Structures are given as C-alpha cells and as structure tokens.
Amino acid sequence: MKRLLLFAMVCASISFVSAQRKFDKVSKVTSSEIRWWGYKVVKTEASSHSGTIKLKSGKFNFDHTVLVDGEFIIDMRSMMAGDVSDEDQIKLTNDLKSTNFFEVKKFPVAKFHLTKIIPLANSEYNSTVYGDLTLKGVRKTITFPANVYVTQFTTVIESAKFSLNRRDFKVFYQSSLKDYFIKNEMDIQFKVSTEKLDNENRVPAKKK
C-alpha cells in the first residue's frame, strides 16, 4: 500500500512539473498582414481573385534567446475579397465563408504551429519555415521560403508567395461542376512581426 501511494505521489509530481513548464520568453505578434490568391482555370488572367485575412493572435516562444516555435491563430471570419467591389465583393466574400469553401461558422479559426526554421544560403529568402497548418479541422505539415529575422526576442517573418492545395483541406464545392473550373492551388503570402525593425537591426534566424 505504501509503495502504491509513493508511486502515485511521484506521478503527480511529474505531472505538476510538466504542467508548470514555461518558456523563458514569450514574444507576442504586434503587426501582421496576410494575403491570399485563388485562380480559375478558364480565365486568362494569372490571378482570378485575391484578398486579405486577419491574424487573431500570434506568439513566438524562446528558450533563453533561441527561438523554439511559434503559435498563430487566424480569424477565418475576417476573410475578405479585395479585387472586386460593391455587390460582387459581398457575394464573393460570403461564398468563400459558406459551406462551399471555408465554412467559417463551423471553423471560425485556422491555426499554424511553427515548428522549425532552417537557414538557407545563396537564396532570395534566408530560411525555410516548417510548421503544421490546421484548416477546416485538417492538419497538414507545410513548408515555405521566408525571410526570418530574430534579434534578441524581436522576430520578423516575411514569407514568399507559396501554394497550398485546397483539396488537402477539404476546401471545394460539394458535388458541383463549378469546382472543376477552379484551380486546386491557392496562394498565401504573409508578414508577421513582434516589433518593427529597420534594415540595420535585422539578424537572420539561426538554426536551433
């Protein structure tokens, strides 16, 4: 009985220590900009539609001065078409938010967990970013090029325009021929920062 009680106390202690584990520094995102592009196969223009979406919250976690990971919540209800006006803008925006595409009532937020940054040499972008994107309840690991700058606890990430396959996240018309006129690739480009840095104070991220 004493051994069983001792074992239970040890387990409880381990659980308490794990629950209390905190990062040395949490740096919150103070500025963000996210743009999206969607394409139709029947149009001659390169970009069929484009628009914006807002970041609800974001943070970077540090172990001492080493960036460990990042967590970002995207407000899907803020999605807006920006290349059309008036009634067409309202119609397209509502269609994107409906069950035809992103189902924002059921899935009001998307999440991105940044897991790793690998520096690149001799490239237009200084890093490759790895992370897990959860959209419409589907989680996929994605990678994309970006310029990443970390100075102490200040972080800036400026991504390249990169593609996602909307079908990987169940973003498509249900049983409709309309879906065949839309390309599967949708493009995303974003910039997030914890504080604005001038060019002289930007330091590329180091490999963990």
Side-chain angles (χ1 to χ4, degrees), residues 126-143:
N126 65 27
S127 302
T128 299
V129 175
Y130 293 73
D132 297 322
L133 175 64
T134 302
L135 179 62
K136 289 190 69 176
V138 179
R139 187 176 68 178
K140 295 283 185 181
T141 298
I142 64 172
T143 65

Side-chain angles (χ1 to χ4, degrees), residues 74-183:
I74 303 161
D75 185 2
M76 298 303 295
R77 294 168 297 187
S78 71
M79 178 176 289
M80 183 69 67
D83 64 331
V84 289
S85 58
D86 302 331
E87 293 182 4
D88 289 335
Q89 183 186 48
I90 296 174
K91 183 178 179 180
L92 176 57
T93 299
N94 288 340
D95 196 27
L96 290 170
K97 293 180 179 181
S98 74
T99 55
N100 289 332
F101 290 101
F102 292 96
E103 295 187 78
V104 299
K105 286 186 178 181
K106 185 177 181 180
F107 304 101
V109 298
K111 300 178 181 179
F112 178 65
H113 178 204
L114 187 158
T115 58
K116 183 168 56 175
I117 297 173
I118 302 298
L120 294 175
N122 303 318
S123 175
E124 180 181 358
Y125 294 91
N126 65 27
S127 302
T128 299
V129 175
Y130 293 73
D132 297 322
L133 175 64
T134 302
L135 179 62
K136 289 190 69 176
V138 179
R139 187 176 68 178
K140 295 283 185 181
T141 298
I142 64 172
T143 65
F144 53 85
N147 281 322
V148 181
Y149 306 99
V150 180
T151 304
Q152 290 295 331
F153 303 113
T154 300
T155 305
V156 177
I157 297 181
E158 300 171 342
S159 82
K161 184 189 287 188
F162 62 95
S163 295
L164 299 174
N165 189 319
R166 62 188 177 90
R167 287 188 165 271
D168 287 344
F169 300 93
K170 300 179 181 180
V171 180
F172 51 80
Y173 275 101
Q174 300 293 329
S175 303
S176 174
L177 290 175
K178 291 181 180 180
D179 199 66
Y180 292 99
F181 295 98
I182 304 172
K183 286 187 176 181

